[in-house]
Amino acid sequence: MAAIHITDIEAAINFWRERKPSPDGITLAPELRALAEVYALMVFHHEDEVDEVGFPAAAWAAWMAWYQSTPDTPCIAICSTSQGDDECKGCGRSFDEVQHWPAMTPAEKRSTWRRITMQDSAWRFNKYSERAREASQVRPENTPPDPAG
């Protein structure tokens, strides 16, 4: 069983706060109330993860709506596991994680995302990702790329 980390609950809460702000500064949208209850219990019990099994239905639906707004895969299309590496240099996932990704639950995927983000060693987190973002920016029309970079 995979667990959902408290930072993902916080991200889902912030997602819903932006989508459905309080009209009076006090009232919370149903999605926020559901997630806030889970969050409060985690804080009260000093837990940083909650098991996806037994997650309250309303909170699960709210969390899944946030989850579906996030990128599905950490892949950056540079897969070194296809070359025999046990861990992909591009995204940081293990060979098994890459192979079984489509069958993983949302909580398992988020757990993997958290691990590779905390490790911060995959190419997706270094200068390669910065250069890729810069290259994807739209250049003004009829302007050739600058050869000096």
Side-chain angles (χ1 to χ4, degrees), residues 74-134:
C75 182
I76 60 168
I78 300 176
C79 190
S80 68
T81 61
S82 63
Q83 304 299 316
D85 287 344
D86 290 333
E87 185 175 285
C88 180
K89 290 180 177 78
C91 70
R93 293 178 292 170
S94 70
F95 177 79
D96 286 340
E97 288 166 340
V98 171
Q99 295 301 307
H100 299 293
W101 192 260
M104 291 171 73
T105 68
E108 289 170 332
K109 289 179 180 182
R110 289 303 306 163
S111 179
T112 301
W113 267 102
R114 178 168 166 67
R115 180 184 53 75
I116 65 172
T117 302
M118 297 300 290
Q119 286 175 340
D120 193 28
S121 60
W123 289 348
R124 79 172 352 270
F125 301 110
N126 65 17
K127 289 288 185 186
Y128 171 81
S129 63
E130 293 170 14
R131 289 193 310 270
R133 276 194 300 273
E134 289 169 3

Side-chain angles (χ1 to χ4, degrees), residues 7-147:
T7 56
D8 279 353
I9 303 293
E10 291 169 345
I13 287 170
N14 289 330
F15 170 82
W16 284 106
R17 287 179 65 205
E18 187 175 311
R19 281 206 133 142
K20 293 188 176 181
S22 174
D24 56 11
I26 298 170
T27 309
L28 295 177
E31 297 86 356
L32 281 165
R33 281 195 308 271
L35 290 166
E37 182 179 347
V38 171
Y39 185 82
L41 288 169
M42 291 174 76
V43 170
F44 180 79
H45 292 289
H46 304 282
E47 300 289 337
D48 60 356
E49 294 182 330
V50 61
D51 197 338
E52 67 180 325
V53 174
F55 213 81
W60 181 255
W63 186 83
M64 281 299 296
W66 164 77
Y67 169 79
Q68 290 167 352
S69 74
T70 65
D72 177 57
T73 177
C75 182
I76 60 168
I78 300 176
C79 190
S80 68
T81 61
S82 63
Q83 304 299 316
D85 287 344
D86 290 333
E87 185 175 285
C88 180
K89 290 180 177 78
C91 70
R93 293 178 292 170
S94 70
F95 177 79
D96 286 340
E97 288 166 340
V98 171
Q99 295 301 307
H100 299 293
W101 192 260
M104 291 171 73
T105 68
E108 289 170 332
K109 289 179 180 182
R110 289 303 306 163
S111 179
T112 301
W113 267 102
R114 178 168 166 67
R115 180 184 53 75
I116 65 172
T117 302
M118 297 300 290
Q119 286 175 340
D120 193 28
S121 60
W123 289 348
R124 79 172 352 270
F125 301 110
N126 65 17
K127 289 288 185 186
Y128 171 81
S129 63
E130 293 170 14
R131 289 193 310 270
R133 276 194 300 273
E134 289 169 3
S136 70
Q137 292 176 353
V138 178
R139 292 186 186 97
E141 209 169 312
N142 300 323
T143 305
D146 182 6

